[in-house]
Amino acid sequence: GENVEQHPSTLSVQEGDSAVIKCTYSDSASNYFPWYKQELGKRPQLIIDIRSNVGEKKDQRIAVTLNKTAKHFSLHITETQPEDSAVYFCAPVDTGRRALTFGSGTRLQVQP
Amino acid sequence: NAGVMQNPRHLVRRRGQEARLRCSPMKGHSHVYWYRQLPEEGLKFMVYLQKENIIDESGMPKERFSAEFPKEGPSILRIQQVVRGDSAAYFCASSPGPGGTEAFFGQGTRLTVV
């Protein structure tokens, strides 16, 4: 199965700073790379995803970069705001064989 | 589109009873996934289903747990003879394509075993 690791496990930044979370995976057949945000007591929400034929994708303040050779992808949040505070999960997957395997999560705290 | 609907939102069961958790996928989604989450922990994969088929149940405990996604009606996660350790949030997700591509989650069912 897929082994997924996220770093760091916790991240505290000042409002307006950037935050970067890295996800490493083991299955070289993985072809879909989403990031989910989960606020306390709520459901995970898909915030951005990327497929294996693309190296980078951006959506306003959020971007994802993929390095398939090194088997890692990263979430970048710029101009952080207090409402970005949440737990972020990566979930790389080989969509032809498996379902999403979630990392252990990164707790992001944005200090106002 | 009402999104992924799970019910009940909260469920309390005594040890030894059965728990039935329901999940209606988003309209047009034929792939359903169940995940379990303990407080302050990540999402653990349990089972992946399509209509009338179990695609991957490698995350399901061998005993007491079962899942189905019938031709008509919601997907059901059934836990028989519940124990305190079954207390958790159970999330269902659905996707239009395989493997969890663009998967959306329901609000979850919080099971408490007393």
Side-chain angles (χ1 to χ4, degrees):
Chain A
E2 178 85 274
N3 289 320
V4 181
E5 291 189 4
Q6 278 184 240
H7 295 282
S9 56
T10 60
L11 181 59
S12 182
V13 300
Q14 292 294 123
E15 183 177 357
D17 288 350
S18 295
V20 181
I21 303 169
K22 184 176 179 179
C23 180
T24 59
Y25 60 95
S26 61
D27 187 350
S28 57
S30 293
N31 59 353
Y32 178 66
F33 307 91
W35 284 95
Y36 282 81
K37 174 185 180 182
Q38 188 177 30
E39 296 176 70
L40 188 63
K42 297 192 175 179
R43 76 183 86 186
Q45 290 188 298
L46 177 66
I47 56 170
I48 196 166
D49 58 10
I50 195 169
R51 296 169 198 266
S52 58
N53 58 344
V54 178
E56 182 174 355
K57 182 177 177 181
K58 190 173 182 180
D59 182 5
Q60 299 182 28
R61 298 187 297 108
I62 294 173
V64 55
T65 57
L66 171 64
N67 185 328
K68 281 215 75 178
T69 304
K71 288 191 279 188
H72 65 75
F73 63 112
S74 297
L75 176 69
H76 305 255
I77 306 174
T78 58
E79 300 172 28
T80 53
Q81 301 168 2
E83 50 265 39
D84 294 328
S85 297
V87 179
Y88 291 82
F89 294 98
C90 62
V93 64
D94 171 6
T95 58
R97 292 188 297 142
R98 304 188 192 285
L100 301 174
T101 300
F102 283 81
S104 54
T106 296
R107 183 174 300 278
L108 173 65
Q109 183 70 43
V110 180
Q111 306 288 347
Chain B
N1 195 331
V4 180
M5 303 300 293
Q6 287 188 249
N7 68 80
R9 293 287 309 281
H10 300 275
L11 182 61
V12 179
R13 284 287 177 266
R14 295 186 184 280
R15 280 177 293 170
Q17 291 184 320
E18 179 179 282
R20 283 195 184 196
L21 288 61
R22 293 173 182 78
C23 171
S24 295
M26 283 181 72
K27 188 176 181 180
H29 288 192
S30 60
H31 302 262
V32 167
Y33 317 85
W34 286 93
Y35 289 84
R36 170 180 158 135
Q37 188 175 39
L38 294 171
E40 304 294 320
E41 294 192 9
L43 293 140
K44 300 299 183 187
F45 168 74
M46 298 182 75
V47 62
Y48 169 14
L49 311 106
Q50 271 192 288
K51 284 286 188 182
E52 301 183 276
N53 287 309
I54 296 175
I55 306 301
D56 182 356
E57 58 181 347
S58 58
M60 287 275 274
K62 298 299 182 191
E63 297 178 353
R64 303 189 298 108
F65 286 73
S66 62
E68 62 177 3
F69 188 16
K71 187 176 181 181
E72 300 291 337
S75 176
I76 306 284
L77 178 67
R78 183 181 292 111
I79 311 172
Q80 296 178 303
Q81 299 176 321
V82 296
V83 301
R84 289 234 171 99
D86 296 332
S87 296
Y90 292 84
F91 286 97
C92 167
S94 71
S95 67
T101 313
E102 297 176 9
F104 288 88
F105 279 79
Q107 292 183 303
T109 293
R110 278 147 185 85
L111 173 65
T112 302
V113 180
V114 297

